[in-house]
Amino acid sequence: MRVLGIETSCDETAASVVALDGGSAPEILSNVVLSQIEEHAAFGGVVPEIAARAHVEALDGIVEAALTDSAVSLDEVDAVAATAGPGLVGGLIVGLMTAKAIAAAANKPLIAINHLEGHALTARLTEGLDFPYLLLLVSGGHTQIVAVRGVGDYQRWATTIDDALGEAFDKTAKMLGLPYPGGPNVEKAAVGGDASRFAFPRPMKGSAQPDFSFSGLKTAVRQAATAIAPLSDQDVADICASFQAAVADALGDRVARALARFRKEFPDKAKPALVVAGGVAANRTIKTTLEARCSKAGFAFVAPPQKLCTDNAAMIAWAGIERLRAGIADESAADFVPRSRWPLDSVSAPLVGSGRRGAKA
Ligand code: KG4
Ligand code: ZN
C-alpha cells in the first residue's frame, strides 16, 4: 500500500509518500516539508493570508519533490490523503483542492484526514505502538490529551480553556523582545536563568477539572516584566527559566491526572504509554518533567523523532494507510469541504474559548 499525503493546515507546506508492504514495518519513502517561518517572523505569528498564498506557490513543487524522492509514480500510489481540517481555512482549501485534482486526474481515491488524527497515529508509524495509548499534543495551535483507542476511535480527555501552550511560549517571547518562533528562543534564553526568582502561577495545578489554562500565566509574566523594566539579559533569562518551570510543573500535574485515569480505564493494558507530539515537545525541561512523571506511574514515554512530531505530511499519508487498512477510509471524499474546526471526537463538548484565539484555532 502506498499513499501520497498532503499537509497545508498551518505554516508548513508538506508532501510525503508512505508505504506499507505486507506484515513489515511501514516505510517513509519521502517526507518533504517547507516551513514558512521566515515569511511570518516579521509579524510575530502566522498570518493566515500569507500562509495560504505561500501554500499555493509551493505545493505543486513540494508534491513533485515528494514523488521524485520516493521513486514512486502517481500511477503506483493507492490513494491520496490530505489534511481537511482543523486549521487555517485558506491553507486547507489549497491542500484539499490540490489533492482532489490529483486524485481525479490519476483516478485514485481521495481520503480526507483530520490533522489531529495524523498526530495521534504517528507513534504507530515510528514505533509500531499498539492501541490503546495516551497522546499529549502540545503545539502552537493545540494543547490536548487524547486517549487513542483505535483508528478513528479517540476520546479527548483534556484541552486548553484559553491559549495553546506553544502560543503561550510565543507570546512570552514577544513580550520579552525575543524573536519568533518563541518556544526555542525562550528555551535558549532560559539557560543560565534562575528558575526560582519568579513564583509564577501553576495554572490548574491540583484542579479536579482535567483541562489546561495558560492565559493567567502569560499575564503574570507580563506583570513581572513590567515591574522590573528595563530588562537586563539576566532578567530575561530568569523570567524565561521561571516561566518554563511553571509550565513544566503545570503540565506535569495535568498529565499525571491523565495517566491515573488511563490506568483506571484500561486496567488490562500491560505496558501503557504516553506519546508526545507537537513543537513544544522539543523542550528539554518539559520532556524531562514528563519522563519523570511517566516513569513514576509505570508508563513508557514515547517521543517520535522531532521532525515527525511537528507538522508533516508523512503522518497524513500514514493516517490514510491506517484508514484504508481498517476499511474506514471515506474514499468518496471528493465532496469533502475543509473544516477549520474539527474535533477528533464528536463526544467531548467544545470548551468556551478553547483554542479560538490561536492561529490554528
Ligand atoms: O507543532 P508545531 O511545529 O506547529 C504547530 O502545529 O503549531 O509547533 C510550533 C510551536 C510554536 O508555538 C513554537 O514556539 C513551539 O512549538 N516550540 C517550542 C519549542 N520548539 C517549538 N516551545 C517550547 N520549547 C521549544 N524548544
Ligand atoms: Zn500539528
Side-chain angles (χ1 to χ4, degrees):
M1 222 182 271
R2 288 175 181 75
V3 171
L4 167 67
I6 292 177
E7 157 63 39
T8 55
S9 68
C10 190
D11 59 344
E12 275 93 15
T13 314
S16 161
V17 179
V18 176
L20 181 69
D21 286 314
S24 52
E27 207 182 336
I28 299 172
L29 301 180
S30 63
N31 185 17
V32 185
V33 181
L34 177 70
S35 166
Q36 302 174 358
I37 279 184
E38 279 176 18
E39 285 165 78
H40 300 288
F43 304 95
V46 178
V47 184
E49 182 62 21
I50 292 176
R53 283 171 193 271
H55 287 306
V56 171
E57 281 165 22
L59 188 55
D60 282 6
I62 297 292
V63 169
E64 219 168 283
L67 287 169
T68 307
D69 284 4
S70 69
V72 169
S73 72
L74 206 46
D75 266 356
E76 295 165 318
V77 156
D78 294 284
V80 181
T83 302
L88 298 173
V89 82
L92 292 172
I93 291 172
V94 174
L96 191 58
M97 294 312 284
T98 302
K100 283 181 184 180
I102 294 173
N107 198 22
K108 304 287 178 185
L110 171 75
I111 310 171
I113 298 291
N114 182 315
H115 177 87
L116 301 172
E117 177 168 67
H119 282 302
L121 298 177
T122 298
R124 289 168 53 76
L125 166 65
T126 58
E127 341 275 321
L129 208 62
D130 285 330
F131 297 123
Y133 53 86
L134 258 191
L135 170 78
L136 170 69
L137 173 60
V138 275
S139 70
H142 302 285
T143 307
Q144 305 193 346
I145 297 177
V146 177
V148 183
R149 302 186 293 193
V151 182
D153 184 5
Y154 314 101
Q155 202 177 34
R156 196 189 70 204
W157 284 1
T159 187
T160 176
I161 58 173
D162 39 58
D163 293 348
L165 183 51
E167 205 181 346
F169 268 95
D170 293 338
K171 287 177 178 172
T172 294
K174 206 169 177 179
M175 269 185 257
L176 300 175
L178 299 170
Y180 176 85
N185 290 304
V186 167
E187 182 169 23
K188 218 186 295 165
V191 176
D194 175 4
S196 63
R197 178 166 164 201
F198 299 94
F200 291 136
R202 272 62 174 154
M204 312 294 279
K205 190 173 177 187
S207 156
Q209 191 193 345
D211 297 304
F212 302 92
S213 166
F214 295 107
S215 77
L217 174 57
K218 178 186 65 190
T219 306
V221 170
R222 176 179 297 119
Q223 285 168 345
T226 311
I228 58 164
L231 303 177
S232 68
D233 287 353
Q234 190 58 49
D235 291 333
V236 170
D238 293 346
I239 291 174
C240 287
S242 303
F243 167 79
Q244 260 186 181
V247 163
D249 203 12
L251 206 57
D253 175 69
R254 306 288 79 200
V255 165
R257 278 186 66 84
L259 299 183
R261 177 173 170 186
F262 190 92
R263 277 273 188 220
K264 227 187 254 169
E265 295 207 7
F266 304 99
D268 302 332
K269 181 75 184 172
K271 280 193 136 216
L274 173 77
V275 176
V276 288
V280 184
N283 188 284
R284 283 304 327 165
T285 307
I286 290 175
K287 233 179 199 166
T288 309
T289 304
L290 295 176
E291 265 167 346
R293 290 284 187 170
C294 282
S295 116
K296 198 167 154 205
F299 275 64
F301 177 77
V302 179
Q306 198 54 30
K307 69 175 199 222
L308 295 173
C309 269
T310 53
D311 288 352
N312 65 86
M315 69 180 190
I316 304 304
W318 173 247
I321 289 180
E322 289 262 39
R323 286 195 161 257
L324 281 175
R325 187 166 61 165
I328 52 168
D330 175 12
E331 295 175 29
S332 60
D335 298 329
F336 201 99
V337 177
R339 299 182 189 170
S340 57
R341 313 198 125 259
W342 185 5
L344 251 191
D345 69 358
S346 47
V347 183
S348 310
L351 287 175
V352 176
S354 59
R356 260 160 226 219
R357 286 180 275 154
K360 295 171 56 158

